[in-house]
Structures are given as structure tokens and as C-alpha cells.
Amino acid sequence: MRILLVASAFNSLTQRVYAELTDLGHELDHVCGGDDDALREAVRRHRPELVVAPMLRTALPEDVWSRHVCLVVHPGPPGDRGPSALDWAIDSGARSWAVTVLQADAAMDAGDVWATVPFALPEDGAGKSDVYRNEVSDAASAAVKLAVARFASGDFKPQPQAEAAHEVVWRPYFRQELRRIDWASDPTDTVLRKLRAADSQPGVLDELLGAEWFLHGGHPERELRTDGAAPGEIVATRAGAVCRATRDGAVWIPELRPRRTPGGPRTFKTPAVDALGARLPQSVPEVPAPLEGDHGGWSDIRYEERGATGFLWFSFPGGAMSTGHCRRLLTAYRHALTRPTSVLVLGSRRDFFSNGIHLGVIEAAAGPGEESWDNINAMDDLVEAVLRTSDRLVVAALGGNAAAGGVMLALAADEVWCRRGAVLNPHYRLMGLYGSEFWTYALPRRAGAETAGRLMREALPMSAQAAAEAGLVDRLVAAAPADFADETSRMAVELARTPVLRERVAGKAAARARDEAAKPLAEYRGAELARMHRQFFGRHEPYHALRGAFVRKEPVRGTGGGRGTGQAGGAGAASGAAGTARP
């Protein structure tokens, strides 16, 4: 069918719906919601048989929904109404939830039901954006495909909510007054729920060290002693995050965003320590987490072993990897190579694998060109270390989405294992970049030169299934988000027991030597970085305007840029969270 996707942003769910409906053979076009005239023109041009809205912040105009069947994805069960459904679910500690596909009509969220798919909210306290990209995305994908199939059949009658006797629950916009943390009174669990219900957008507004900030993300600290610290006081830092005391414990907050001043430019998230800068008292200690062992606190990089298999798990906010992230992960990777293992898994337990360089840190730097250069070189160092690993098999485990340099990091491994619900964006063009991370070697090696060129030119999201068919993924993992790490661990331990493993390791070492003799990795890196250097330091390169517009969530003007760019600071186009408006 001809299907028009309408979305307020080409975010992770919109990308997944786009990719998976394309896989099914539908002809899709996409238009940004909120611009009614653009929507009307897209309807006239595309002449859709069906309109699907995976994520909207504004209502569709009546002259569109009254003439065309328009299916709207609502991240709540039938009867749930309002723009902050998922925020309320996480804040209330709900254990079960649902995604419903409704037919648009005059009343918000009150249309007939075409499909609804329930899901369990994770018990490990994942944040809203993580849940949105994973559990919600899985349920929404299933619900949209079911609704589209029902519409195509021509014999399905959607169920009016009133006839189904669904209890109507109106949940208003989740305002900052409801999110406010009372540090003196709120226990740690309450603080974490408030932080997690707003982790990516909009954040929790708070006062800290004489300024107002939006707090983004929250993780418990179980061992660090906070005796004598006032609730809300910063007691430690780790990996760019700050640890704040609560009345009965402490929480880690990875990112901060300054409150926008009246008439001032839009602000954006950066690592908390960077955001605070000179405001952070020198007396606050930095307490790095041990790489191994369960130390009871948050860490963004962990290493563990099961027999002959090593696991290097990492998770960075929004999948964005700054210069510091890359260097710390490289140090951890080198440590993992000293261990007596035959298989090494490098990956994310759930949610993002990587989206490449950290655009937020770059935008905030005194010299964005210089920071871009440092960041891409640190990323290249990491990817090259994986490519040159010759004494064991390396598996890239993608528990969630990946884009740009993050995809190339995965392709540097010997095998790529990917959760079926993940979306890959193996391109850089939407950020005005040529790309590095040895993509000119790794991508054609996997997909062939013709497919590699097409993927870079088209700059479209790929489902995990499509990525596997193109040769970018070796094994699809049919696991729920919460089960991915355990299933990957089981598979990796099984791989380490394979009788032909030693032969495979010897074969990869020989292949790397042949490739190096034909064209050294240094030549690929040098040619890529020569192009990137011009884009980083050229005053009129579109990268600068695209980067600034992206991190500030502003429209792009005068750059020739196309569809939306990425998520939470990464250079790729694997975008992210629902925000507080209608996802």
C-alpha cells in the first residue's frame, strides 16, 4: 500500500515503523507533523491509502483525518488519554502497560481501536527514553503492523472505545511542578522515579550550586557513604556524572542542561561535570568505579567473565561517545585483551550500542572543530583496536539502536549480534559528514562496494532484519530487551566451546594480514580523516549548522540538510525518546 507517515520528529519509533513497513513491501513517504499545509501537500502528492502517525505532538487537521483513515500510535492502553502517558506510567511505578493504535478523530485519544499490544515495564528501573526505544517500540511495532494488516484486509471493523467499556482515564501534561524533587523529604526510590520519568526529555528542573538546571538520568548508589552530607549535596563524581545525596542514600545524575534564559538560545545536555564547570567545588572527590565486580554503584563500563568468554558492557547516555568515553572504553578494551579468553563480547546490555561522536560535548567546546577532531581520532583508535585484535573472536552485541560510527564500531568485530527490534543507520550524510571509523574498509568488506555506496547515499534507517540481509548483522537475537544480555551471554559461552574456534581465530589473523598487505588500515584512516578535517574546520561546512540545530532541537536553515539527524548528541540518525508530548 501507499502509506504516509506523519511524525513530529523522525525519532527512533518513526524510523523503526518506516523500516519495518518498507520491509513488508509498502511504499512509504514521510512528512513532519505540526505543519498542516505541508501535511496537506504530502497527502495531495503521495495520495496515500493509509496515514500512520507513530509520534505526534499536535493533532492532525480535520480535513485530513475526515477524508483519510489516519492511525495514531498512543503509548497507553485503551481508555488512557493525554500527552504524557508514559511519564505517568513510570512515575506511578506501573508494572504493565500497553500501546494502542487509534483512528484519529475530533477527540484526542478517543478514536476507534485498531490494535492494542500489552507489555511489561522493566523491573530494573529503566528510564523513560530507554523504555520508549525498547518495550514501547516492540509493542508499537507489533500494533502498527497488525493494524495495517487489518486495514489492508478490508474486513476488519475497529472497535469504538465506548462500546468496549474501557475506563477513560485522562492524564494531564506532566508539568515540572509534579516532577520537582524534595531532596529533604523524598526517599531514594521516589527521586529515581522522578528522574527516570523525565530522563531524556524534559528533565527535572532543579536548583544546584546557584543555578537552575534540568537533571537528566538517574542511577542508584548503594555503597558510597554520604554521612554528614545534606540531601541534594554533590558528594562525588564519576565518568562525568555527579552523585547527589538523598535523605536515605544517593543517586548518580549523568547529564545536566541549563535552564534557558528569557530570549536566550536553546540549551542542551552535556555530562554533568562539564556542565557545572568551575561551579563544582574542588573538594568533591572523583571516585572511579572498578571495572570488574559488583561494587553496588553505577558505572557506564563493566567487564565480567564466564569461563573462556569475556564481556565488556558499556552504556553511554543517548549512545553518544565523547573523546573521554572513547578513551576510557579503549582502556577497558585493552584490559579485556589481557584476560585469558577466546571470545570477547563488546556491547550494550540493552538500549543504544553507539551513535558515534558526541555532538553535545563538541557544540559546548571552546573550539568545536578541535573537539570534533579529537573525538573522531579517539573513536578511530577504538575501532582500530578492535580491527587489529587477532588472538580471539570479538562479538559486537547490539542490544539497541546504532548509527554512524557506532555501526562501524560494530562492523569492526568478527560477528555482529543484534536484537531484532534494533534500528541501524549506517551513514553520516544527514550530519553533513563524510565519516571515518574505517567505514571505507569495514562496510564494503561486509556488504560489498555497491551496497555500501547505496547505504551512504540513501541515508535511510534499516531494520535489524534488513541489516542482516545486507550482510551487516550475522545473528538476529529474538529476545525481549530485558533478556538480551542473558541470551547473548549464553550464545557467547556456546561459541567459546566451538571445536573449530582456534581455526577461526587463525583464519581471521591471516585475513587481516592479507588485507593489511593489500592496503594498510592507516591509508583508509588517513583518507577518511582528510575529508573529515575539511568538514570540521571549514567555516561554511554544513556540519556546523546541522550540529548546532540538532543539539538545540531547532529547525535547520540554509544548509540543504534533509530529514532529522540523530539522538542525544551522537553523530548518527538513530534518534530517541518520546518527550512529554504525544509519542
Side-chain angles (χ1 to χ4, degrees):
M1 291 190 300
R2 291 188 309 280
I3 299 176
L4 178 64
L5 286 191
V6 183
S8 296
F10 202 64
N11 73 337
S12 60
L13 178 56
T14 307
Q15 290 180 35
R16 181 170 177 180
V17 170
Y18 182 99
E20 293 187 356
L21 290 181
T22 299
D23 290 350
L24 292 173
H26 299 293
E27 179 187 340
L28 272 78
D29 197 0
H30 167 261
V31 65
C32 183
D35 186 335
D36 290 353
D37 288 339
L39 173 56
R40 293 182 181 104
E41 171 58 24
V43 169
R44 185 198 63 77
R45 182 185 68 251
H46 192 62
R47 293 180 293 109
E49 298 167 76
L50 180 65
V51 176
V52 177
M55 182 279 222
L56 279 180
R57 298 190 183 99
T58 57
L60 295 170
E62 182 178 1
D63 58 311
V64 172
W65 62 254
S66 62
R67 298 174 186 173
H68 303 268
V69 174
C70 299
L71 304 183
V72 176
V73 176
H74 177 69
D80 178 89
R81 299 181 187 178
S84 304
L86 193 55
D87 305 61
W88 284 104
I90 292 175
D91 182 76
S92 67
R95 295 269 54 89
S96 61
W97 205 240
V99 171
T100 306
V101 176
L102 307 165
Q103 184 163 337
D105 65 9
M108 189 74 70
D109 303 329
D112 295 350
V113 175
W114 280 83
T116 183
V117 174
F119 65 90
L121 285 158
E123 297 183 5
D124 60 358
K128 179 182 68 172
S129 57
D130 181 338
V131 174
Y132 181 77
R133 285 185 295 266
N134 291 283
E135 283 83 0
V136 170
S137 179
D138 284 359
S141 170
V144 167
K145 287 186 285 189
L146 177 58
V148 169
R150 285 173 168 172
F151 176 82
S153 72
D155 57 10
F156 179 81
K157 183 178 179 181
Q159 186 177 42
Q161 294 189 51
E163 291 182 10
H166 293 297
E167 180 185 359
V168 174
V169 179
W170 172 256
R171 306 178 198 276
Y173 178 73
F174 208 110
R175 300 185 181 279
Q176 282 296 333
E177 305 91 81
L178 300 170
R179 302 183 190 275
R180 181 78 66 175
I181 295 172
D182 185 338
W183 292 97
S185 301
D186 287 344
T188 301
D189 287 349
T190 299
V191 173
L192 286 171
R193 278 202 310 273
K194 290 180 177 180
L195 290 170
R196 287 167 171 166
D199 62 343
S200 179
Q201 288 295 331
V204 175
L205 185 61
D206 194 28
E207 294 182 10
L208 180 63
L209 299 178
E212 288 189 301
W213 310 85
F214 290 94
L215 316 180
H216 294 275
H219 306 276
E221 171 57 50
R222 299 185 180 90
E223 291 190 358
L224 190 66
R225 296 185 63 85
T226 59
D227 297 348
E233 181 180 346
I234 297 176
V235 296
T237 67
R238 172 182 294 160
V242 294
C243 185
R244 299 182 69 179
T246 64
R247 71 173 178 84
D248 59 351
V251 296
W252 290 98
I253 300 171
E255 295 182 309
L256 299 176
R257 175 170 59 92
R259 186 174 191 178
R260 185 182 185 182
T261 58
R266 292 185 180 182
T267 59
F268 53 92
K269 295 176 288 186
T270 55
V273 171
D274 293 352
L276 291 171
R279 293 177 183 271
L280 185 67
Q282 294 185 355
S283 58
V284 175
E286 181 179 4
V287 286
L291 186 59
E292 300 184 55
D294 184 8
H295 49 76
W298 165 81
S299 179
D300 53 4
I301 304 174
R302 288 182 185 270
Y303 178 77
E304 57 190 45
E305 284 181 11
R306 289 180 59 187
T309 306
F311 301 88
L312 185 58
W313 302 112
F314 61 94
S315 177
F316 305 123
M321 295 175 63
S322 67
T323 303
H325 289 136
C326 294
R327 289 173 177 169
R328 287 193 297 109
L329 186 55
L330 177 57
T331 297
Y333 185 81
R334 287 170 173 162
H335 167 77
L337 293 182
T338 67
R339 302 295 302 156
T341 59
S342 55
V343 173
L344 174 59
V345 175
L346 174 71
S348 53
R349 299 184 67 91
R350 56 173 289 147
D351 206 18
F352 283 121
F353 179 77
S354 168
N355 282 332
I357 60 176
H358 199 310
L359 301 177
V361 170
I362 290 168
E363 183 70 12
E370 288 79 3
E371 181 57 37
S372 299
W373 185 248
D374 289 345
N375 201 163
I376 198 64
N377 274 282
M379 194 83 188
D380 279 2
D381 290 343
L382 174 62
V383 175
E384 184 168 357
V386 178
L387 285 169
R388 292 192 181 279
T389 301
S390 58
D391 63 344
R392 67 199 76 196
L393 285 187
V394 181
V395 173
L398 280 64
N401 301 345
V407 174
M408 305 314 157
L409 172 60
L411 298 187
D414 302 299
E415 292 193 13
V416 178
W417 299 352
C418 185
R419 198 178 82 82
R420 279 193 174 273
V423 175
L424 276 62
N425 279 274
H427 52 80
Y428 305 81
R429 185 170 64 85
L430 299 181
M431 194 48 65
L433 294 174
Y434 176 73
S436 191
E437 294 103 358
F438 300 90
W439 78 263
T440 52
Y441 169 69
L443 190 58
R445 180 181 66 160
R446 281 235 171 211
E450 182 178 347
T451 298
R454 176 178 59 80
L455 294 176
M456 285 294 180
R457 288 192 307 272
E458 292 180 348
L460 292 172
M462 303 177 73
S463 68
Q465 180 66 47
E469 292 171 359
L472 307 188
V473 170
D474 298 288
R475 298 179 71 173
L476 294 171
V477 182
D483 299 331
F484 176 79
D486 288 343
E487 179 62 14
T488 299
S489 298
R490 183 195 64 76
M491 293 165 55
V493 170
E494 186 178 275
L495 176 63
R497 294 171 179 160
T498 305
V500 297
L501 186 64
R502 184 173 297 181
E503 296 176 19
R504 287 194 60 188
V505 172
K508 70 170 275 189
R512 174 86 286 280
R514 289 193 300 271
D515 288 354
E516 187 71 13
K519 182 176 180 179
L521 287 178
E523 289 191 20
Y524 290 99
R525 180 171 180 166
E528 292 169 358
L529 288 179
R531 300 278 292 268
M532 295 286 273
H533 190 276
R534 291 195 294 272
Q535 292 167 334
F536 288 157
F537 293 97
R539 290 181 57 191
H540 302 294
E541 290 288 335
Y543 163 67
H544 302 294
L546 288 166
R547 182 192 67 241
F550 167 68
V551 299
R552 292 180 173 83
K553 302 186 185 301
E554 295 175 334
V556 181
R557 297 182 177 88
T559 62
R563 183 174 43 244
T565 47
Q567 156 61 22
S575 129
T580 55
R582 176 196 303 278

